[in-house]
């Protein structure tokens, strides 16, 4: 399914109850990096990249192999706190096709516990076109719920109702003569790209050419993630890396 172009999206203004209006849906951009749609009891996360640490270790880049453990802890916390009935993981949940074989048994059991507790959908990504079997949940390419469409990679050009990941958005802003760079949601009221949720995932500045043509730069807001809240920063205030 392809979302339709929006001629004049409403800007993503924060409401009194901490929600923003996104193509007709009232959603919360949570400080964990997850998107929460209370009306649908739905939680959405992007780019978990389980077992990236062990993948890098196999290539001689020695990182502490604890990213999956850390990512699972953050995921368990937000599921416990927001109590969704459904979870959508927007692709690249596993760093590569062999990630399943590198999971510790305890981590494998924690994933199974999560997928057994809610209706869980793994959207396929470029890193995991065939998510592992035996961990619970259902694998799909794309999901449409009401006015929103959930996929891994954002479509080209302007889109309406699209929720995607893949680009790992970050934003940079000048604060008191210093630069502050944080993971961020990015939205212009028509679509939203989620930050990567995984512990070892990097970030791509929302002013990078990869985002060209996706957002109305006047209406665009980067919702920068801070300590237990997000901070909306309008496009003209953002600076490149």
């Amino acid at each position: 399914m392809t979302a339709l172009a929006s001629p004049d999206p409403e800007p993503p203004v924060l409401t009194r109850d901490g929600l923003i209006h996104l193509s007709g849906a009232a959603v919360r951009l949570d400080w964990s990096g997850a998107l929460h749609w209370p009306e649908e009891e739905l939680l959405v996360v992007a780019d978990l990249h389980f077992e990236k640490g062990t993948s890098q270790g196999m290539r001689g880049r020695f990182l502490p192999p604890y990213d999956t453990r850390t990512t699972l802890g953050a995921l368990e916390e937000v599921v416990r706190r927001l109590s969704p009935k459904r979870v959508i993981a927007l692709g690249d949940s596993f760093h590569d096709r062999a990630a399943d074989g590198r999971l510790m048994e305890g981590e494998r059991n924690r994933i199974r516990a999560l997928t057994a507790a809610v209706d869980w959908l793994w959207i396929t990504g470029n890193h995991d076109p065939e998510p592992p079997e035996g961990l619970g949940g259902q694998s799909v390419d794309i999901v449409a719920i009401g006015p929103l469409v959930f996929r891994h990679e954002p479509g080209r050009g302007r889109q309406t109702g699209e929720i995607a990941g893949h680009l790992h958005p970050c934003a940079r802003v000048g604060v008191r003569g210093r630069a502050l760079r944080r993971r961020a949601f990015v939205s212009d009221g028509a679509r939203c790209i989620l930050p990567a949720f995984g512990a070892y995932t990097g970030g791509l500045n929302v002013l990078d050419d990869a985002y060209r043509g996706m957002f109305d730069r006047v209406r665009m807001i980067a919702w920068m993630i801070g300590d237990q809240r997000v901070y909306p920063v309008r496009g003209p205030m953002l600076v490149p890396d």
Side-chain angles (χ1 to χ4, degrees), residues 36-49:
H36 181 219
W37 189 358
E39 183 179 2
E40 293 290 332
E41 298 183 275
L42 173 67
L43 188 75
V44 187
V45 293
D47 299 280
L48 301 170
H49 282 272

Side-chain angles (χ1 to χ4, degrees), residues 5 18 58 70 72 87 142 150 159-160 176 185-187 198 235 239:
M58 293 169 61
T70 302
L72 279 171
V87 173
I142 189 170
F150 303 87
Q159 305 282 328
T160 295
R176 299 176 183 175
F185 301 86
V186 57
S187 178
V239 296

